[in-house]
Each structure stands twice: as structure tokens, then as C-alpha cells.
Amino acid sequence: MTNKYRFIIPFLVGLKVLSVTAAEPLVIPDPTNYPSLSTKKMGHVRHMINLANQLDGDFSLMGETDPVYNMSFHAYQFQIAFAQYALASTHYHYTPAHRDLYQKASARLIQRMIYKDVWDYWAHVSKFDLTDRTGSEGGEERMINYTEDDWYGWIDPNIKKNIMYSGHLLQMVGLHQNLFNDNRYDEPGSLTFRYAPIEYGQDPVEMKYDYHRLAKVIYDQFVEDHYRGIECERNAVYAECNQHPILGLMSYDFKNGTNLSVEVRKEFKKVMRKRKYIDPKTNTTMYFLKVNEDEVVPATYAWADGWNGHAQHVWDKEYIESIYPDQQKRYIPSMLRGWPFENMGWTASFDFGWFALLASEVGDTETVQTMTDYADAHFEPTWRDGGYYYPNTTYYQYNFRRDWKGFIHNVGPATGNVLVGFARINPKDGLWQIYNRPWDDTHYSQPYITNVEYLQASVTQAVYDPEEDALIVTLVPGPVPSTSTSFTVHQLDHDKSYALIRDGQVLGEVNAQTGLALPNTQWQADGSLLISTKLAESQSFVLKAMAATLAAR
């Protein structure tokens, strides 16, 4: 923190001015110079945590379930995965010194991801080449070349293809390991998939994975198909779906000292260029590659450009930023308003969300502001249990028309639950920084807070600044009113004294070694410091290490 971001506060205890030395007044970091979650950003965070904390089998607010053999872009797995990515961005950029809430939510989302209702569609989807279909006279789709070979799919959602699921799971586990230094998924069987018994009286079918096996299975598939990409449903490679396993392999490399992602990125980029996965003339992302025919199916979709671009930006930053202006002009503002009752096409309910996310990642703050303001104006924003989201519109899977004023009238659960909130939260280079500037071991030895009562208080910033040797924490009232709350500070240096400042007012000095405490503070047996406070409105705390013990003059 440079001098221009500091302010000096002399303070009084009784009639005495406290200072380190006469020539060295206490320099206190200003909390407003650190990233902080706004009311709406905090609302999005709470909504995603609420979704994470739903009971197993409860997918309330997450949309209608398609027939199990026909998953959609609003599938549970996408909402769960992108909620974890959004919370990862929140933790990294706003609350790196508040771990337990985000670590529990991350683990809970991974647990939800491996719940059977999320992935058992694959037992059906794996039977079909969904690119080989056409419309029937009755308006339904039918398979053209359906043969006996298509009768049998497979249950395991990770072992082959289905990268639209396994790639996200790998990315989620990698983020969890690296953000929280939590290696639980290294344990054999830590990712166990259970499928209902095939016959009455049998035990469930179990497929046991861990972080290492999942990474190997995915890496091997990239190699086997010469880096064209791993199929989602059979015979279809989507560029955007292959970005997530690449990010997962990047996390794996960082944690395990391997170079799997280096090779995959290099070779996959060669294929992308040669086969024009992103058309160099239009700078738009393909729909998919038909593997058996080795045919690229071109397209112009905001969701495809947004989905692929926000993730590829992590490892191909300059290229994505070079093509983004053309994409932005193509979709904004034309996406936002058109003819009354205009049919926007089958992608209407998720085009908006994924493109907003790309805009946030490349740092187009003007477009992000335009799109989040638009969502607040037209998507019926709702507060529920402290969370802020945009409810699904009726018949979002079938009605793709604008409203009578020409505004978007189709919001699906991926956009409303996760993507707009993610775009609002995510700063420029938000994901890029997580993967290219990962925390090292020093981060985990720094002071941090725990035990914030989730219903009573929200933590809008929690940052340890090593240059200032100061912990900055801001609390705001939570959804359940309370006259007071508390939090616990860990890993303060017991050889140092700390000035405790609340809302710019220095309350005094605390020191673990001497047991020196202040009213509403208490040293715990494990060396942590419990701080209690009233919470009628926002309060900012700073614990600033002293160059020497405060002395009264």
C-alpha cells in the first residue's frame, strides 16, 4: 500500500495520545482502498451459498428438469459449477482472509456435483449421437442412423466423453485444492459415484475417483484424440466445454508439479487455429465439431463466445482480448432490445448471462454495468433469504420471444441464479489472476478470520495486507437482525502488539504474549482473538501490527 492510500489518525485514550515514537505516528490503512462487496454483490454470494446448502435432492429455484435423456444448457451441473467459480472469484478478490465460509460452500458444491441426480443423465445420453438427428413430421426429433450399437450407453460419467460434466468437476476440485490448501480429494475414493442398483436386491454401482485419477482420465483423452478436444455428448466437441478441463489441469500442475496443461494448451490451440474453432473472419466460436465426420459446424451465438472466451482468457489472454471488441459490437446493444415479441431463438435464456461473464473477465466495465443494470430493470430481481437473484421466467425453455416493449423476456436458471451475479462480482482478469497468480504457502500462514455468524453478519471484505502488516475486515448486518455479533482472528503474531481500529477510531492495543486485551475482545486458549461488536450498521475493523509497543506520553 503506497503512501497515497494511507491516512494518519492520532488518537486519544483518556487524555493521552498514543504513538509508537514521537517521530513515527501510527499509519492506519484505509479500508475503502481495498476491494469490498456491494449490497447486491453480497446478495449474489448469499444466493449461491444458499443453493449450495440445499439438501441432497433439493434443486429448488434451479429450473425445470429436462427429460433425463435430454439435458440442457441450464443443467444442474452448470449452475453448480459456475456458482463455485463465482464464489472462488469472490474469495480470491474480496475475502481472502475469510476462509471457512467459502471452503465449506466449495466442498458442498462438489458434493452436490457428484449427487446422482446431477450426472445420471449420462446413462441415457451416452446411447445417442445427438448430432445425428432430424425433425419428424410430428415436430419431434428422431435419430437418423440409430442402430443396435446405440442401445447401450455407460453409467460412469467420467471415464469417456461427457467432458461437459467431468471437465467442470476437475476444475472445481482444482480450485478447491489451491484456494483452501485442502487435499481431501487426493484420497482414493474421495469422489465416489453411486448409481442405483441395476436389479432388485443388488447393491448400488460404485465408481471411485479421486483428484489424480480424474486428471489422468481427462488428460489421456486429450492425447488419444490428438488434441481435437474431448466430446461432450457423443460425436460433438464443443470448444467451450474443453476450456474447463484445461483450467482443471492448470490447477493440477500447480499443486503436483506436473506439466499436463502446458502440452494440452499448446496442442489444443494448434487444432483450434487449424480447424477454425473460432472463425478468423467473424471471430465467432463454432457450434461444435462433428468428430466422426471431422466437420466444424459454424455458429454465431453470444453464449458460445462468452462461455468459451471467459475461460480461454485464463491461458490465452491477448488473443481473447483482441477478438472481444468484434464480439461486443455483434451482440451489444442489439441483444438488449428489438422488435416487440421478436423470436430471439432457442439460446435466448442463456446468451445474456455468458456474454456478461466474458465482459467482466476482459474488463469491459461499461458493458458489465449496462448488462447488470438491464437485468435489474427487466429480470424481476428478487431478494430471498438474504440472497439476490433473477427468477426463471415462465416457459423459459419454450418461449423465446421478447416482451411487448422489445426487451428480453426469457431468463433461465443459469443466467438468473449464477451468471449475472458472477459477472457483477468478477473484476477484470478475475479468473486469470486466480490461475496465473495462485497463492503460495505464505498466504496460509497469514492472519484470517473464522466463526462469523452467517445469518447475523455478512463479511464484505477480509484482507490481510502484508506490506502494512494489517488485517482489514468489514461486516454488515445479515438477513437475521441481531444487536451484536462476533468473529475470531487466527494467526496473529504473538511477538507483536496490534492496534485495534474500528471505523477509523483506535480502540487500543492487544497482545497475545502479555494477554493484553480490550473490552469486547478475548484471547482464546488456541491463541486466537475473539472480537465482539454491535452491528446495527456496517463496521470496518483494522488490526495493525505495531513497530513497537504503544507507549503513553
Side-chain angles (χ1 to χ4, degrees):
M1 187 67 62
T2 59
N3 287 334
K4 68 178 181 179
Y5 294 123
R6 300 175 178 175
F7 59 93
I8 299 175
I9 300 180
F11 52 93
L12 300 175
V13 175
L15 298 176
K16 298 178 180 180
V17 177
L18 301 181
S19 64
V20 178
T21 67
E24 187 180 355
L26 182 66
V27 180
I28 303 172
D30 182 354
T32 64
N33 289 322
Y34 297 84
S36 181
L37 293 164
S38 66
T39 299
K40 288 180 180 177
K41 288 178 180 178
M42 192 70 236
H44 290 306
V45 168
R46 280 190 168 273
H47 180 66
M48 294 180 213
I49 292 177
N50 291 346
L51 293 179
N53 289 335
Q54 289 176 323
L55 297 176
D56 288 344
D58 181 3
F59 297 96
S60 304
L61 306 180
M62 297 181 72
E64 304 171 28
T65 56
D66 292 331
V68 72
Y69 52 83
N70 184 24
M71 62 161 293
S72 75
F73 288 83
H74 295 291
Y76 296 149
Q77 67 212 57
F78 301 138
Q79 296 183 64
I80 291 169
F82 277 89
Q84 198 235 24
Y85 309 154
L87 293 176
S89 181
T90 305
H91 177 58
Y92 184 95
H93 295 288
Y94 300 91
T95 61
H98 183 205
R99 301 177 191 172
D100 54 346
L101 175 67
Y102 293 91
Q103 184 173 2
K104 290 175 183 177
S106 175
R108 178 61 189 154
L109 286 165
I110 291 173
Q111 182 180 344
R112 298 206 78 189
M113 192 73 165
I114 64 176
Y115 186 72
K116 177 180 172 291
D117 288 4
V118 175
W119 56 265
D120 69 353
Y121 67 87
W122 185 246
H124 301 272
V125 172
S126 60
K127 298 176 182 178
F128 307 105
D129 173 0
L130 296 179
T131 70
D132 183 30
R133 55 188 173 181
T134 188
S136 67
E137 293 181 1
E140 298 179 353
E141 291 186 337
R142 63 179 179 84
M143 307 307 297
I144 300 173
N145 298 309
Y146 189 67
T147 69
E148 185 175 348
D149 292 337
D150 299 306
W151 291 2
Y152 305 101
W154 59 95
I155 297 170
D156 189 328
N158 304 301
I159 198 66
K160 197 74 172 175
K161 310 184 194 299
N162 197 28
I163 201 65
M164 58 191 170
Y165 173 84
S166 59
H168 285 286
L169 181 60
L170 183 67
Q171 184 180 354
M172 293 174 73
V173 171
L175 279 171
H176 185 91
Q177 299 270 80
N178 289 352
L179 287 178
F180 305 111
N181 199 28
D182 181 351
N183 300 323
R184 71 179 74 181
Y185 301 108
D186 285 345
E187 295 298 319
S190 53
L191 301 168
T192 295
F193 297 78
R194 296 177 175 87
Y195 193 80
I198 304 301
E199 295 181 0
Y200 181 77
Q202 292 182 338
D203 292 330
V205 178
E206 288 192 346
M207 294 146 284
K208 294 183 180 293
Y209 282 83
D210 54 56
Y211 191 20
H212 303 295
R213 186 187 179 203
L214 184 62
K216 184 179 187 306
V217 164
I218 287 175
Y219 171 76
D220 287 348
Q221 289 181 78
F222 271 114
V223 176
E224 287 168 7
D225 202 36
H226 308 289
Y227 305 97
R228 287 194 299 178
I230 303 171
E231 294 165 57
C232 289
E233 61 264 22
R234 285 171 47 189
N235 200 37
V237 167
Y238 292 79
E240 56 274 4
C241 289
N242 279 271
Q243 301 298 340
H244 298 284
I246 289 175
L247 302 191
L249 291 173
M250 289 177 68
S251 292
Y252 187 85
D253 287 343
F254 176 74
K255 196 71 173 179
N256 294 279
T258 52
N259 291 294
L260 305 181
S261 69
V262 176
E263 178 185 355
V264 172
R265 281 180 282 167
K266 177 182 176 182
E267 298 301 324
F268 186 60
K269 182 62 183 290
K270 288 180 181 178
V271 176
M272 290 188 75
R273 285 174 174 166
K274 182 178 180 180
R275 300 310 312 279
K276 300 180 181 178
Y277 285 7
I278 297 178
D279 189 324
K281 294 181 180 179
T282 63
N283 288 329
T284 56
T285 309
M286 70 174 181
Y287 189 6
F288 56 82
L289 169 74
K290 297 180 75 171
V291 175
N292 295 335
E293 296 82 358
D294 199 27
E295 174 191 348
V296 169
V297 179
T300 302
Y301 292 131
W303 69 265
D305 292 337
W307 194 338
N308 183 77
H310 93 276
Q312 187 172 342
H313 183 265
V314 170
W315 60 273
D316 203 4
K317 187 174 187 289
E318 291 184 3
Y319 172 67
I320 292 300
E321 291 182 3
S322 72
I323 66 174
Y324 171 77
D326 286 344
Q327 296 171 337
Q328 194 271 350
K329 291 175 185 177
R330 182 180 298 276
Y331 304 119
I332 305 296
S334 60
M335 180 197 302
L336 306 183
R337 193 165 190 180
W339 291 102
F341 306 113
E342 173 190 2
N343 188 337
M344 298 183 67
W346 66 275
T347 65
S349 61
F350 46 87
D351 271 334
F352 185 97
W354 267 298
F355 196 79
L357 180 55
L358 169 61
S360 72
E361 179 64 19
V362 300
D364 183 359
T365 55
E366 181 178 351
T367 293
V368 172
Q369 190 67 54
T370 295
M371 297 185 78
T372 52
D373 287 348
Y374 185 98
D376 289 340
H378 302 291
F379 291 176
E380 300 182 6
T382 300
W383 287 94
R384 176 184 174 126
D385 298 331
Y388 187 69
Y389 74 108
Y390 308 95
N392 313 329
T393 50
T394 306
Y395 308 123
Y396 68 88
Q397 295 189 87
Y398 314 107
N399 178 13
F400 311 129
R401 298 190 179 278
R402 295 181 181 274
D403 67 12
W404 67 279
K405 292 184 178 180
F407 295 113
I408 296 173
H409 189 60
N410 188 306
V411 180
T415 290
N417 282 330
V418 180
L419 295 176
V420 176
F422 192 175
R424 176 176 265 137
I425 291 166
N426 193 53
K428 174 177 170 52
D429 297 334
L431 292 174
W432 184 91
Q433 290 185 61
I434 292 174
Y435 287 91
N436 291 279
R437 296 174 182 170
W439 292 327
D440 59 23
D441 290 342
T442 60
H443 169 78
Y444 304 104
S445 64
Q446 295 170 350
Y448 66 97
I449 67 169
T450 64
N451 300 329
V452 178
E453 176 53 54
Y454 179 64
L455 295 179
Q456 294 177 359
S458 296
V459 178
T460 59
Q461 66 179 174
V463 181
Y464 172 73
D465 185 340
E467 293 184 7
E468 296 285 356
D469 201 357
L471 178 68
I472 298 93
V473 177
T474 297
L475 305 177
V476 299
V480 176
S482 177
T483 57
S484 64
T485 192
S486 63
F487 61 95
T488 303
V489 183
H490 299 265
Q491 296 187 164
L492 293 172
D493 190 333
H494 289 187
D495 293 328
K496 296 179 180 179
S497 293
Y498 291 85
L500 178 61
I501 301 99
R502 184 183 62 205
D503 293 335
Q505 179 182 3
V506 179
L507 303 180
E509 178 186 353
V510 294
N511 184 291
Q513 193 173 58
T514 63
L516 181 63
L518 296 166
N520 299 318
T521 69
Q522 182 179 358
W523 289 106
Q524 307 293 295
D526 63 358
S528 62
L529 179 66
L530 177 67
I531 298 176
S532 301
T533 184
K534 296 180 179 179
L535 193 63
E537 57 187 3
S538 174
Q539 289 192 343
S540 292
F541 293 84
V542 177
L543 273 165
K544 167 71 175 176
M546 312 294 293
T549 302
L550 291 174
R553 295 196 302 139

